[in-house]
Structure formats: structure tokens, C-alpha cells
């Protein structure tokens, strides 16, 4: 078999120039992120606040990556353009991945919350928040709080509440007393579904404050996620995720085999939260602050429609470019044959 040299396929650069940008558009659509933007406190494009944000974006990712807990806070500038920032990477992340993700988080926040002084973004592997107000001084406020859920269990609702209570209640103290304020678990109780869970606090919290934060996570979980096969409760100071499949690196640090006998009464003073279905586009515009809402299916359908349009267009362009290459190759081959005969 004889392979054609690259000089016979001059249209390959055209294909790369057209198709690669389209394929790169798939990356932000696939990224799992949930953002929150303030409704006021705007800054101008040429302001000192922008300069301070720029300095933070170049220093905070490295600061987090160099920390043994992959956690960092920073304060940049002076009033009225002072910026407070906090970031944390998940306990099973590594330093290089952490630095890269926090860098991306800054870029995404500037895109998702343009000219907003107060903004936060949550990913699976990390979170980032910055503000012109000193939220770093308050270790007990866990907002903005996002709830992300999946489809319902087929198991009895009372049993699923007990499963979730057992899971989070068993992990809280272990996570709160660890160096990274982080732990993972696997729950295997009889014939009930196997659940995997991850919980983490900001490492600057003392164990007592971390456990208190997890208590709020537990209340929110029982209120919003009861009966769900998987879900996340994402906050500035602590968060939790559980699924029916392993989703974290390494083996679970805790195995739970006994179910709690009952679920105590849920505290009705849970922090107001924004609730998303898990397949909802995570970068959709957030609803008004302080209100509990459930995003409907319209946004989800729009997300899928955009994804399919990009895939179809990229595929059609690939076929077109290949056809053009084939025609060019045939013509060049014909010219070579005529020259050889001459």
C-alpha cells in the first residue's frame, strides 16, 4: 500500500482551521460549573478593581497549588477597590490540576459575571469566590448555596432519607477532624443501593465550625435531595456530593454498613438555596439571590440543541473538506500523469 505524501493534501490546514474551533466550542458546554453573580456593586473596565483582580488571578492559583491543603485566601488592594478572594480544590486533587482549574475559574467568572464585584463559581474539583466585602472574616456563612440533584430513587422514600442521614452524619466528624477537612465514604447497607459520598470544609475552619457547617449541609440534603439518586450541596465554607457510583480518586476512607434507626426532625431554618437538576446548563443565569427556585427543562433542551448543532455542523464540514481534498488530489494526480506522458 502506497501512502500519499502530505504535499498532495494541501487542504488539511483548512480543515484544521475550520473544524478545531468548532470542536473547542464543545469544551465549555461540557464543563460542570455553577456560578453566582451579585446584582449590584459593579466595577468599570479600566478601574483599579480590575487591576487588583488581575493580580489575584496570577497569584492565587499558585498559592493554592503550593498549599498542602490546596486552599488559599488573599486580599488585594485598598478601599474602595479592595478584593477579598478564597479558593479550594477538592481533597483528592493534585497541585498541578488545582492550579490549572483555579486559573480557569478566574477566566470563567470574568465571563459569567462581567463587571460584578461579588462573584462565585463552583466546579466538581474546585471553587472560587471574590468580593469587595470581607466575607473571609465570617466562617459561619455558607452562601451562595447551590443544590444539584438527579432523578428519583425507586426505593421507599423513608429508607432513602435514612440512607442520606446515615451517610452524612457518619462522615461529618471524620472530615472535620482531618487535616484537609475532607473525607470520602461508601455506604453498603443490606439490599439498599450502594452510595458513594465526598464531604469537605474549608481547611481554615476549626473542627467545631466545620461540623456545624456539615449540619447545615445535612439539613439541606434532607430537605432538597431526599429520594434522589445523587446530588450536591455546594457552599462557600463546606460542601457535599453523593452518587450511586464512585466519582472520586482513591478508595473510600470510610465504609458504612449500619443504617441509622431513624431520622431526626429536619431543621426548617436551612439556608436559602438555588436548586438545579444535574443536567441543567450550569452556567445559566442565576435566579435572584435569596430565593429557592427549580430550573425548568427549557434551558436543558437549549443546551442539548446547541450541542447537537455544533456536532452536526462539524461533521458536515469534515465531509465537505474531505470531498474538496479528494477533488484537489484527483486533479493534481491527473496533471502529474499528463506531465509524465509528455
Amino acid at each position: 500500500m502506497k501512502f500519499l505524501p502530505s504535499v498532495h493534501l494541501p487542504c488539511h490546514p483548512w480543515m484544521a482551521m475550520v473544524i478545531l474551533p468548532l470542536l473547542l466550542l464543545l469544551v465549555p458546554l461540557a464543563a460542570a460549573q455553577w456560578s453566582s453573580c451579585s446584582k449590584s456593586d459593579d466595577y468599570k473596565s479600566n478601574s483599579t478593581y480590575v487591576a487588583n483582580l488581575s493580580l489575584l488571578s496570577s497569584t492565587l492559583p499558585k498559592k493554592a497549588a503550593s498549599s498542602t491543603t490546596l486552599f488559599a485566601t488573599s486580599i488585594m488592594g485598598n478601599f474602595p477597590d479592595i478584593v477579598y478572594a478564597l479558593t479550594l480544590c477538592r481533597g483528592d486533587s493534585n497541585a498541578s490540576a488545582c492550579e490549572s482549574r483555579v486559573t480557569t475559574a478566574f477566566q470563567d467568572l470574568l465571563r459569567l459575571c462581567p463587571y460584578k464585584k461579588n462573584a462565585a463559581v463552583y466546579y466538581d474539583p474546585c471553587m472560587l469566590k471574590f468580593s469587595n466585602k470581607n466575607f473571609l472574616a465570617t466562617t459561619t456563612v455558607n452562601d451562595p448555596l447551590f443544590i444539584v440533584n438527579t432523578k428519583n430513587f425507586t426505593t421507599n422514600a423513608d429508607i432513602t432519607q435514612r440512607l442520606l442521614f446515615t451517610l452524612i452524619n457518619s462522615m461529618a466528624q471524620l472530615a472535620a477532624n482531618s487535616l484537609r477537612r475532607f473525607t470520602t465514604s461508601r455506604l453498603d447497607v443490606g439490599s439498599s443501593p450502594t452510595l458513594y459520598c465526598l464531604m469537605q470544609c474549608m481547611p481554615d475552619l476549626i473542627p467545631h465550625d466545620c461540623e456545624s457547617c456539615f449540619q447545615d449541609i445535612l439539613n439541606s440534603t434532607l430537605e432538597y435531595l431526599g429520594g434522589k439518586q445523587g446530588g450536591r450541596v455546594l457552599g462557600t465554607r463546606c460542601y457535599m456530593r453523593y452518587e450511586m457510583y464512585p466519582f472520586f480518586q482513591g478508595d473510600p476512607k470510610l465504609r458504612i454498613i449500619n443504617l441509622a434507626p431513624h431520622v431526626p426532625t429536619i431543621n426548617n431554618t436551612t439556608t436559602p438555596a438555588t436548586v438545579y437538576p444535574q443536567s441543567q446548563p450550569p452556567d445559566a443565569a442565576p435566579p435572584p439571590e435569596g430565593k429557592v427556585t427549580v430550573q425548568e427543562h427549557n434551558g436543558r433542551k437549549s443546551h442539548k440543541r446547541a450541542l447537537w448543532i455544533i456536532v452536526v455542523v462539524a461533521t458536515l464540514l469534515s465531509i465537505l473538506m474531505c470531498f474538496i481534498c479528494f477533488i484537489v488530489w484527483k486533479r493534481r494526480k491527473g496533471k502529474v500523469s499528463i506531465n509524465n506522458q509528455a
Side-chain angles (χ1 to χ4, degrees):
M1 180 180 293
K2 184 178 180 181
F3 292 93
L4 292 173
S6 59
V7 293
H8 288 278
L9 297 175
C11 51
H12 275 187
W14 304 350
M15 294 175 65
M17 291 174 63
V18 174
I19 296 172
L20 285 178
L22 287 168
L23 294 178
L24 287 174
L25 289 175
L26 297 177
V27 175
L29 288 174
Q33 63 187 17
W34 295 268
S35 62
S36 173
C37 315
S38 62
K39 305 304 176 184
S40 57
D41 292 329
D42 293 0
Y43 60 83
K44 296 182 179 180
S45 58
N46 59 348
S47 65
T48 305
Y49 199 87
V50 174
N52 290 335
L53 274 178
S54 179
L55 287 172
L56 274 176
S57 67
S58 64
T59 58
L60 195 64
K62 293 180 174 60
K63 186 176 179 181
S66 63
S67 167
T68 57
T69 57
L70 301 181
F71 166 76
T73 62
S74 189
I75 304 172
M76 191 69 65
N78 300 299
F79 182 83
D81 296 302
I82 191 169
V83 187
Y84 301 89
L86 173 152
T87 190
L88 173 69
C89 293
R90 214 167 72 178
D92 59 342
S93 300
N94 58 54
S96 60
C98 180
E99 181 176 353
S100 174
R101 177 55 74 182
V102 176
T103 299
T104 301
F106 267 107
Q107 297 168 355
D108 286 346
L109 266 187
L110 295 177
R111 173 177 60 87
L112 297 169
C113 303
Y115 309 116
K116 298 299 181 182
K117 289 187 175 182
N118 191 340
V121 64
Y122 300 86
Y123 300 89
D124 257 348
C126 87
M127 68 82 56
L128 168 69
K129 179 177 180 178
F130 63 75
S131 177
N132 62 327
K133 298 179 175 62
N134 188 10
F135 68 95
L136 301 178
T138 306
T139 60
T140 57
V141 177
N142 199 34
D143 62 348
L145 191 67
F146 287 174
I147 312 292
V148 187
N149 61 51
T150 59
K151 60 184 179 180
N152 292 331
F153 274 117
T154 56
T155 312
N156 179 280
D158 291 338
I159 294 297
T160 60
Q161 287 286 81
R162 288 173 64 191
L163 287 171
L164 293 177
F165 173 78
T166 301
L167 192 64
I168 297 173
N169 191 59
S170 301
M171 296 175 65
Q173 188 173 10
L174 179 62
N177 287 283
S178 66
L179 174 63
R180 288 192 171 185
R181 305 289 187 259
F182 167 83
T183 197
T184 57
S185 73
R186 171 176 172 167
L187 183 146
D188 291 301
V189 180
S191 59
S192 298
T194 299
L195 295 178
Y196 297 84
C197 187
L198 176 153
M199 293 172 62
Q200 187 168 14
C201 279
M202 296 298 148
D204 63 338
L205 295 185
I206 62 173
H208 177 269
D209 289 345
C210 182
E211 287 193 62
S212 295
C213 194
F214 284 146
Q215 182 62 51
D216 292 337
I217 292 286
L218 175 57
N219 294 337
S220 296
T221 300
L222 296 178
E223 180 175 353
Y224 297 112
L225 297 176
K228 300 297 182 181
Q229 293 186 13
R232 302 170 175 88
V233 181
L234 306 170
T236 305
R237 285 299 176 180
C238 64
Y239 64 91
M240 178 279 304
R241 179 186 177 187
Y242 76 93
E243 304 287 353
M244 294 180 66
Y245 55 87
F247 61 91
F248 45 76
Q249 300 294 321
D251 296 327
K253 300 179 184 299
L254 176 67
R255 186 180 178 192
I256 305 167
I257 58 175
N258 295 314
L259 193 63
H262 67 279
V263 178
T265 303
I266 299 175
N267 182 357
N268 292 324
T269 60
T270 53
T271 304
T274 302
V275 184
Y276 287 95
Q278 188 147 305
S279 55
Q280 169 73 21
D283 55 355
E289 294 177 349
K291 293 185 179 180
V292 179
T293 61
V294 179
Q295 303 298 322
E296 300 297 338
H297 295 288
N298 295 336
R300 179 168 50 190
K301 289 179 180 178
S302 298
H303 176 67
K304 290 182 178 179
R305 189 181 301 115
L307 182 63
W308 275 108
I309 289 172
I310 292 175
V311 171
V312 170
V313 171
T315 302
L316 292 176
L317 283 174
S318 299
I319 295 172
L320 178 62
M321 291 298 104
C322 289
F323 178 75
I324 293 173
C325 285
F326 176 75
I327 296 299
V328 172
W329 171 72
K330 288 288 289 183
R331 288 182 176 178
R332 288 196 172 189
K333 185 178 180 182
K335 290 180 180 179
V336 171
S337 298
I338 292 174
N339 291 335
N340 289 339
Q341 289 176 4

